[in-house]
Amino acid sequence: MKTFKLLIVFILFLTSCNDDKKTSSETEKITEKEPTEIASTAKTAKKKPDTNGTFLCKINGKDWSYTKTSGIVDTHPKTKKRTAIITFKKKLDKGSESVQLFYDGDNYQLEKATAILKTPKKGGGTMSAMYQLLNEGGKRLPDSKISGTLDLSNSKGATGTAEVTNMKIRFEEGQLEDQSMAIVSFSPLNFSGIGYSDLHKVFGNK
């Protein structure tokens, strides 16, 4: 009888040891897994792309940023007038917006500015509102102002400034949900390092 009791105690001891080893093993696995999951989460957060773009200016008091830029310097085949066009484009979930600045390619003064902005329209949805302001000529408001300069001395990137005030919508003003968007103004803006191509040099235009 004594031998039988000792045997039962021995079996219980072995069972307890096995349970302890199993618990310890599972604890180690959980401990190893947690840092891996934390590291994986941190890595994912670090890779999250910045979709806001690069700030250019405020339009009617709201920040406006671009996701793509381009520049072209073109020479008119007849008049030989050179025009430099700097384009800022903003990619949206649906469609895009843009700001274009047109500079005289000889005296590097801002001649024209245009913008295409997505804005709510009456009855729901959005519309692409187009705006334009010329330094001379064209339909403009009495208090409209446009000025700016461009520097193309660096062949790798254009640098410039622009100030545009009271630029009127060109078409379908009555379709705007917010009538304050019939006229837009830019806060003074500066840009640099905008890549551009001189078509006269590229294609040898004469």
Side-chain angles (χ1 to χ4, degrees), residues 98-149:
S98 65
V99 169
Q100 284 191 307
L101 304 173
F102 297 74
Y103 296 85
D104 185 306
D106 296 314
N107 63 28
Y108 304 110
Q109 298 297 309
L110 183 62
E111 294 184 311
K112 181 173 73 172
T114 67
I116 298 177
L117 306 175
K118 290 285 187 180
T119 185
K121 66 178 180 179
K122 290 181 178 178
T126 60
M127 60 182 285
S128 295
M130 181 177 180
Y131 305 83
Q132 179 177 283
L133 182 60
L134 283 70
N135 192 15
E136 295 182 4
K139 295 181 179 180
R140 55 186 294 176
L141 300 171
D143 51 353
S144 294
K145 295 180 181 179
I146 178 173
S147 64
T149 60

Side-chain angles (χ1 to χ4, degrees), residues 6-159:
L6 289 174
L7 182 60
I8 291 175
V9 171
F10 181 73
I11 291 172
L12 290 173
F13 176 77
L14 288 178
T15 303
S16 176
C17 288
N18 288 335
D19 288 341
D20 290 342
K21 288 180 180 180
K22 184 178 180 181
T23 302
S24 177
S25 177
E26 288 176 351
T27 302
E28 289 176 359
K29 287 181 180 179
I30 292 172
T31 304
E32 291 174 357
K33 186 178 180 181
E34 286 178 350
T36 303
E37 289 177 345
I38 293 171
S40 178
T41 303
K43 190 175 182 181
T44 302
K46 190 176 181 180
K47 284 186 175 182
K48 186 177 180 180
D50 181 6
T51 57
N52 294 327
T54 302
F55 176 79
L56 178 67
C57 64
K58 289 182 179 291
I59 299 180
N60 281 10
K62 295 182 179 181
D63 289 357
W64 193 87
S65 302
Y66 61 88
T67 54
K68 185 179 180 181
T69 63
S70 62
I72 293 177
V73 181
D74 195 12
T75 303
H76 194 282
K78 293 183 179 181
T79 65
K80 305 303 180 184
K81 174 179 171 54
R82 297 177 74 235
T83 302
I85 307 171
I86 306 298
T87 302
F88 303 89
K89 189 172 183 179
K90 180 180 183 179
K91 182 66 176 175
L92 304 173
D93 292 336
K94 293 183 179 180
S96 62
E97 294 183 332
S98 65
V99 169
Q100 284 191 307
L101 304 173
F102 297 74
Y103 296 85
D104 185 306
D106 296 314
N107 63 28
Y108 304 110
Q109 298 297 309
L110 183 62
E111 294 184 311
K112 181 173 73 172
T114 67
I116 298 177
L117 306 175
K118 290 285 187 180
T119 185
K121 66 178 180 179
K122 290 181 178 178
T126 60
M127 60 182 285
S128 295
M130 181 177 180
Y131 305 83
Q132 179 177 283
L133 182 60
L134 283 70
N135 192 15
E136 295 182 4
K139 295 181 179 180
R140 55 186 294 176
L141 300 171
D143 51 353
S144 294
K145 295 180 181 179
I146 178 173
S147 64
T149 60
L150 182 68
D151 183 357
L152 297 179
S153 60
N154 186 344
S155 61
K156 294 183 178 180
T159 300

